[in-house]
Amino acid sequence: MLNNLDHTLSRQLKVLILLFLMSLLFFSYLKNLFSMQIINGEQYRSQSQKISSQVTVLVPQRGEIYDRNSNLPMVINNDSFAVEVTPGEIPKDRYDTVMMKLAGFLGISKTDIDKKIPENSRRSFATYQIKSNVSFSVISNIAENKNDLPGVSWASKPVRNYLHTGSLSHIIGYVGDINQDEITVLYNQGYTKNSIVGKTGIEKQYDALLQGTPGRQLSTVDVRGRVISDTPEIEEPKMGNKLVLTIDSTIQKLVEEALGNRVGASVVLKPATGEILAMVSYPFYDSNLFSSDDAGAEYSKLINDPSKPLINRAVQLSYPPASTFKIIMSTAMLQENVYSPVSKIECKGVMIYGGRRFHCHVHEPGHGWLDMKNAMAQSCDVYYWTIGRDYLGIEKIASYAREFGLGKSSQIDLPNQVAGLVPTAEWKEKKYHERWLGGDTMSCSIGQGYMEATPLQLANMIAMVSNEGIIYKPHILKEVRDSVTNDLIEEIQPTILTESTIDNSVWKQVQEALRYTVTDGTPQYPMHNKIVQIACKTGTAEVEPYSNANRKDDQSWHSWLVAYAPYDAPPEDRICVATIVEACNKWEWWAPYCTNIIIQGIFANQTCEEATKELGFEYLAQTRSRQE
């Protein structure tokens, strides 16, 4: 019986011990729970919210752009603001009211704002940019009504200010908001949905240099993206690099005024370096339009304009080079030694071939017997038809054209340039499924038919003659400098684009022929110049009749002139000019006059008006004014 009692007591003791331990554990948990929720509750709640860090990108100012003398800014930044919305900070029942009020301040519709903020993100604490390029006065109005605009904020976002517009628009280009295609490509390079990027010109070509280094604002946020830190860490952004261009603003203005309101283009370059001193394409546009409130509407007007003002005709359009191509023909003839330059060919004003009559349009009665120098000076088609068809052939013609840089990229530091066209028999067979004919060779021999080149390519062509066999890669960027210290980061060095193996004696003969063209050829009057000796070649390219708003009459000729000067100076002291005036203008053979005004202005240090008067061309300008 004692044994049973002992056994019972033992069981009870174990139960009591177990109950004691369970009670101890329960009170321990209860104590900790009380401590967590009551004593230290706020601390743990705060820690539970601190689950991530939010990085806000601070956009840097774009680098400024200067002309070659580095003392005249072409592009700067103006103070402006971007308005942003954090939808999670707006009471749900006030969202539509707040957005309507904000739309009124910004001069946009609520629908425009709704497009920026997806409906499923309206309780998010992410920040959405609603509008950029907002003036200080608008920001002041928003600030005065801040109590009625919860969730609305603003940040500094400078806007581009193009100080010199006009013809510089095609060179410098413009900027705009990044689009989805661009951000897909550039996302890994640090670009964001709020980035501003270059769209055309230098702004696009050197966007990475101009962008600068973004700063960062590091904030602690909760699970909903709400900022919960009072003192964020800030890393300041660094402004983009300063770009110094090869463009001389004085020469650019001179060329722009010399070309006037004629549809066409003109390029001035230094043949010994490839530096572009001026590049004008008319018509042009105002780059500042793309920062205006009506940017979309302005772009639509420009894109639909039949005169194509958005196109840089110097590098983005190709034309038949016409008689300027006779420079290449003469070079090929001399180098290949297929016909003596002193032997003569008779021009009767017409050549009959394949049942067709080919007329020498420059002098219909015929030039008579001509050697190479006089054929160049008189721009005789019959002479070069004969040389091309009977002595060179299309394959050799094409080979020399490519050696002069035609039919391939000029590799200038501008986007969207075209390569032109150097046709061959193989090309025609592939393109049109037709056999190459002797008449095709004749057309190409005078720069007509399928042959096409850009004004820049023809500037390179004449530069090759000036340099006696070398074309330097054309470029518009001269230097890259630090935007704060102005320290030189990079200086662009001359780079050979093409180096010919043509004999030096050939270049001397071609140079002499080009000088003789000025003294004794067709452009004697428009190219006379007392200040500097010029070597040049004209061209009149026959084209299909124009039918646009700029058309003045039934004339269908482009006017060309390529030149270098001074003829008697070394290449490093020369400039090269290529000018085209399209057939849609009133026919006045303006390219030679325009080019001479440019050369006179540069070497006599004169304005366009002064150079025009000095050359005796003011009556042409007056006649033009009366016609308009």
Side-chain angles (χ1 to χ4, degrees):
M1 193 167 178
L2 278 173
N3 288 337
N4 290 337
L5 181 60
D6 291 340
H7 181 68
T8 300
L9 291 173
S10 177
R11 288 177 59 189
Q12 291 177 344
L13 182 61
K14 290 179 180 180
V15 171
L16 290 172
I17 293 173
L18 181 60
L19 289 172
F20 175 77
L21 291 174
M22 290 177 65
S23 299
L24 186 62
L25 183 61
F26 172 76
F27 282 109
S28 177
Y29 277 123
L30 188 63
K31 178 184 176 184
N32 288 334
L33 187 62
F34 179 82
S35 176
M36 291 173 63
Q37 294 206 6
I38 304 302
I39 299 176
N40 299 313
E42 189 60 35
Q43 174 185 341
Y44 286 113
R45 278 191 293 272
S46 177
Q47 289 179 353
S48 69
Q49 291 178 323
K50 296 180 181 179
I51 59 172
S52 65
S53 295
Q54 182 185 72
V55 177
T56 302
V57 176
L58 303 179
V59 180
Q61 289 198 33
R62 287 180 73 85
E64 296 178 339
I65 301 176
Y66 285 71
D67 83 334
R68 69 179 294 108
N69 299 310
S70 193
N71 57 7
L72 182 64
M74 295 176 169
V75 186
I76 61 174
N77 301 300
N78 280 354
D79 289 336
S80 183
F81 299 88
V83 173
E84 302 169 339
V85 168
T86 306
E89 295 179 354
I90 306 172
K92 188 175 181 180
D93 59 343
R94 293 184 59 195
Y95 181 85
D96 288 335
T97 302
V98 171
M99 292 301 99
M100 284 290 291
K101 194 173 186 66
L102 177 61
F105 283 119
L106 296 178
I108 59 177
S109 68
K110 181 178 178 296
T111 303
D112 293 329
I113 298 179
D114 291 340
K115 290 177 182 178
K116 300 277 188 177
I117 306 175
E119 190 169 355
N120 59 1
S121 301
R122 291 181 183 175
R123 303 317 306 152
S124 167
F125 283 86
T127 299
Y128 294 86
Q129 182 175 295
I130 304 303
K131 187 178 181 182
S132 58
N133 192 20
V134 179
S135 67
F136 178 74
S137 61
V138 173
I139 297 299
S140 296
N141 288 336
I142 292 174
E144 290 173 2
N145 293 270
K146 190 68 176 68
N147 291 337
D148 297 328
L149 297 169
V152 176
S153 59
W154 53 89
S156 175
K157 191 173 185 180
V159 66
R160 275 316 224 190
N161 182 4
Y162 299 94
L163 301 177
H164 300 271
T165 54
S167 61
L168 284 170
S169 60
H170 291 115
I171 298 171
I172 296 175
Y174 60 90
V175 298
D177 292 330
I178 195 168
N179 59 41
Q180 188 56 51
D181 291 338
E182 290 166 335
I183 200 169
T184 300
V185 175
L186 300 172
Y187 181 77
N188 290 331
Q189 299 177 35
Y191 290 75
T192 71
K193 59 182 174 62
N194 293 330
S195 291
I196 297 293
V197 296
K199 299 293 184 177
T200 62
I202 290 297
E203 292 276 26
K204 179 177 181 179
Q205 186 75 20
Y206 294 110
D207 188 78
L209 292 175
L210 292 165
Q211 278 288 338
T213 305
R216 298 193 314 159
Q217 177 174 298
L218 185 64
S219 305
T220 304
V221 297
D222 63 17
V223 69
R224 297 179 62 189
R226 183 190 290 112
V227 176
I228 56 177
S229 57
D230 295 328
T231 54
E233 298 178 24
I234 296 178
E235 181 181 319
E236 295 292 339
K238 181 182 178 183
M239 186 176 179
N241 292 311
K242 169 184 173 181
L243 300 188
V244 179
L245 306 186
T246 61
I247 299 296
D248 187 308
S249 294
T250 301
I251 298 177
Q252 182 77 15
K253 181 180 179 182
L254 169 68
V255 176
E256 180 180 317
E257 293 179 353
L259 183 62
N261 59 343
R262 300 168 180 87
V263 177
S266 187
V267 178
V268 182
L269 63 79
K270 290 175 66 70
T273 62
E275 292 175 278
I276 302 295
L277 299 178
M279 178 181 285
V280 171
S281 174
Y282 184 86
F284 37 73
Y285 59 91
D286 184 350
S287 298
N288 289 311
L289 291 174
F290 297 95
S291 299
S292 68
D293 291 338
D294 298 326
E298 294 294 342
Y299 181 77
S300 295
K301 289 180 184 178
L302 292 171
I303 202 72
N304 293 314
D305 189 327
S307 64
K308 297 181 171 63
L310 290 174
I311 291 180
N312 183 351
R313 285 167 160 79
V315 295
Q316 294 178 336
L317 278 185
S318 56
Y319 307 84
S323 292
T324 64
F325 192 75
K326 292 169 183 174
I327 294 173
I328 296 176
M329 290 292 295
S330 298
T331 305
M333 183 193 83
L334 293 169
Q335 180 65 17
E336 293 294 321
N337 197 26
V338 294
Y339 197 82
S340 171
V342 297
S343 296
K344 296 182 179 181
I345 294 174
E346 185 181 14
C347 170
K348 296 180 180 180
V350 66
M351 177 182 283
I352 299 174
Y353 179 76
R356 290 180 57 195
R357 296 173 65 86
F358 292 80
H359 293 273
C360 187
H361 72 276
V362 175
H363 190 61
E364 289 190 10
H367 293 100
W369 291 91
L370 297 173
D371 59 10
M372 187 205 79
K373 184 171 69 172
N374 282 284
M376 177 88 81
Q378 301 303 321
S379 201
C380 178
D381 290 341
V382 171
Y383 182 94
Y384 287 97
W385 283 332
T386 303
I387 295 299
R389 185 195 64 189
D390 299 342
Y391 295 95
L392 285 173
I394 189 57
E395 295 305 324
K396 285 184 179 177
I397 293 172
S399 175
Y400 278 89
R402 285 190 288 268
E403 189 164 353
F404 271 83
L406 275 61
K408 55 187 177 182
S409 172
S410 297
Q411 297 186 32
I412 190 173
D413 46 349
L414 285 174
N416 306 321
Q417 58 192 286
V418 299
L421 177 63
V422 174
T424 62
E426 181 182 6
W427 169 85
K428 186 181 180 185
E429 176 65 33
K430 289 181 178 179
K431 177 76 173 178
Y432 297 107
H433 307 292
E434 295 178 359
R435 184 170 57 90
W436 187 269
L437 303 174
D440 295 324
T441 301
M442 292 170 63
S443 293
C444 286
S445 297
I446 61 168
Q448 292 279 175
Y450 302 114
M451 192 74 69
E452 290 186 357
T454 67
L456 177 59
Q457 286 175 324
L458 294 194
N460 280 339
M461 177 188 73
I462 197 71
M464 190 176 210
V465 177
S466 172
N467 292 335
E468 299 184 0
I470 294 177
I471 297 175
Y472 287 94
K473 183 178 177 181
H475 61 278
I476 292 179
L477 180 61
K478 183 174 183 280
E479 296 172 348
V480 181
R481 291 183 173 272
D482 186 277
S483 58
V484 177
T485 65
N486 203 38
D487 290 341
L488 181 65
I489 297 173
E490 182 182 7
E491 183 177 13
I492 307 303
Q493 299 298 325
T495 303
I496 293 177
L497 180 65
T498 301
E499 187 166 13
S500 172
T501 57
I502 294 171
D503 297 338
N504 287 340
S505 61
V506 170
W507 295 119
K508 296 297 184 186
Q509 292 179 78
V510 174
Q511 290 174 344
E512 290 170 2
L514 292 174
R515 176 59 185 160
Y516 184 74
T517 298
V518 175
T519 59
D520 293 81
T522 54
Q524 286 182 67
Y525 175 71
M527 294 307 295
H528 79 277
N529 193 301
K530 297 178 181 179
I531 295 294
V532 61
Q533 294 185 21
I534 303 171
C536 82
K537 182 70 190 81
T538 58
T540 47
E542 185 176 6
V543 294
E544 293 294 326
Y546 271 61
S547 58
N548 62 38
N550 293 317
R551 185 163 174 72
K552 305 288 186 184
D553 57 20
D554 294 328
Q555 186 63 51
S556 299
W557 303 94
H558 295 323
S559 173
W560 275 109
L561 196 289
V562 294
Y564 71 85
Y567 170 75
D568 53 349
E572 56 268 24
D573 295 332
R574 292 173 178 162
I575 62 162
C576 291
V577 185
T579 302
I580 185 171
V581 177
E582 289 189 14
C584 61
N585 301 278
K586 178 73 177 178
W587 176 251
E588 55 187 351
W589 203 36
W590 185 251
Y593 295 95
C594 174
T595 303
N596 200 5
I597 292 170
I598 293 168
I599 293 172
Q600 173 76 18
I602 291 173
F603 289 101
N605 193 26
Q606 294 175 337
T607 65
C608 178
E609 183 178 0
E610 291 168 343
T612 301
K613 184 177 181 180
E614 183 71 21
L615 292 169
F617 297 160
E618 65 267 31
Y619 78 95
L620 288 171
Q622 293 168 1
T623 301
R624 175 78 180 186
S625 178
R626 288 197 296 271
Q627 290 171 344
E628 292 167 351

